[in-house]
Amino acid sequence: KNQVEQSPQSLIILEGKNCTLQCNYTVSPFSNLRWYKQDTGRGPVSLTIMTFSENTKSNGRYTATLDADTKQSSLHITASQLSDSASYICVVSDRGSTLGRLYFGRGTQLTVWP
Amino acid sequence: EADIYQTPRYLVIGTGKKITLECSQTMGHDKMYWYQQDPGMELHLIHYSYGVNSTEKGDLSSESTVSRIRTEHFPLTLESARPSHTSQYLCASSESVAGKVSQTYEQYFGPGTRLTVT
């Protein structure tokens, strides 16, 4: 069964600190992995998308890594800001369908305190 | 900011009512999707469309129905709402370019509709 597991489930950090969110997946055959940011009551917004051959990708203060061998990914946030408070969702796509089916994790709820 | 819109943003209705959740996008995307998301849980695909007059059911069984008469419009209808339908409904779209692997298409999400059935 294709699954995406994220940890921790929730995280509280102080403004200015760094943090790392984890994602493990069993989706096969693997196509790509995405990290989304979802603010409360809003739709997810894409942060990064990585294919099999990519090990790391950055988007401003967000840096995602991918180890396709161990099927693990991480999202590192540097110098956190209050606006980073949101749910961060790991999403994996398979190559088994023309639709490009997405498998969603439950997200890590990040809270940044002043 | 993606050009995909959903209305209403919030809806509270009584059991048995018929409702339609609207979704429209101005990006000319062929593929559109409806997801259902409960608090703290993952998104589940309930419907998708490859293009006009194409609709398919997703992974999660849903009593809702969809239609795709125009490229930009993908409404979702519940004929008789029940409390079990209370959830957030997210619409998304993605492009479809010849020669490009479909699995790498970016999906753009709307802001969602929070539905409460009393």
Side-chain angles (χ1 to χ4, degrees):
Chain A
K1 180 181 177 183
N2 289 321
Q3 286 188 313
V4 178
E5 302 287 343
Q6 293 187 242
S7 62
Q9 184 176 354
S10 62
L11 182 63
I12 299 174
I13 62 174
L14 295 178
E15 187 178 14
K17 298 297 185 181
N18 304 335
C19 67
T20 300
L21 314 180
Q22 301 291 341
C23 174
N24 296 332
Y25 63 91
T26 60
V27 176
S28 181
F30 174 84
S31 176
N32 59 75
L33 185 145
R34 311 155 189 237
W35 282 95
Y36 282 87
K37 178 186 179 186
Q38 185 177 22
D39 293 313
T40 301
R42 307 289 297 181
V45 175
S46 178
L47 295 175
T48 65
I49 177 171
M50 291 183 292
T51 59
F52 184 88
S53 59
E54 296 175 293
N55 300 118
T56 185
K57 182 165 282 190
S58 293
N59 178 2
R61 293 180 297 103
Y62 302 102
T63 299
T65 64
L66 172 64
D67 185 335
D69 291 330
T70 61
K71 298 186 177 181
Q72 296 180 325
S73 176
S74 65
L75 180 69
H76 186 73
I77 305 175
T78 59
S80 61
Q81 301 175 358
L82 298 180
S83 59
D84 292 333
S85 294
S87 178
Y88 291 84
I89 304 173
C90 177
V91 185
V92 182
S93 177
D94 69 12
R95 286 188 285 113
S97 68
T98 56
L99 175 67
R101 187 67 53 86
L102 301 183
Y103 297 89
F104 291 79
R106 294 186 176 184
T108 292
Q109 184 65 47
L110 175 66
T111 303
V112 181
W113 283 3
Chain B
E1 191 86 8
D3 296 320
I4 181 165
Y5 310 98
Q6 291 186 242
T7 57
R9 292 293 317 283
Y10 303 93
L11 180 61
V12 180
I13 61 167
T15 297
K17 299 292 186 182
K18 177 181 178 179
I19 61 168
T20 296
L21 308 185
E22 302 289 348
C23 175
S24 60
Q25 49 94 8
T26 59
M27 297 173 283
H29 289 168
D30 288 330
K31 295 180 179 176
M32 296 190 74
Y33 315 80
W34 275 103
Y35 293 90
Q36 186 173 340
Q37 183 183 31
D38 292 322
M41 302 296 287
E42 63 267 47
L43 278 73
H44 290 286
L45 181 68
I46 53 175
H47 298 283
Y48 60 95
S49 168
Y50 284 113
V52 172
N53 294 325
S54 155
T55 61
E56 301 287 344
K57 289 191 177 294
D59 303 317
L60 183 67
S61 175
S62 174
E63 294 167 348
S64 58
T65 59
V66 293
S67 62
R68 190 89 183 275
I69 298 174
R70 303 199 312 268
T71 297
E72 63 271 20
H73 197 212
F74 192 39
L76 181 146
T77 299
L78 277 167
E79 290 293 332
S80 179
R82 295 206 302 267
S84 61
H85 296 140
T86 295
S87 188
Q88 181 173 24
Y89 293 84
L90 291 160
C91 180
S93 71
S94 64
E95 62 180 339
S96 178
V97 179
K100 183 175 179 181
V101 176
S102 64
Q103 290 84 356
T104 60
Y105 298 155
E106 186 63 77
Q107 278 198 22
Y108 298 92
F109 286 84
T113 294
R114 170 69 65 185
L115 173 65
T116 302
V117 184
T118 62

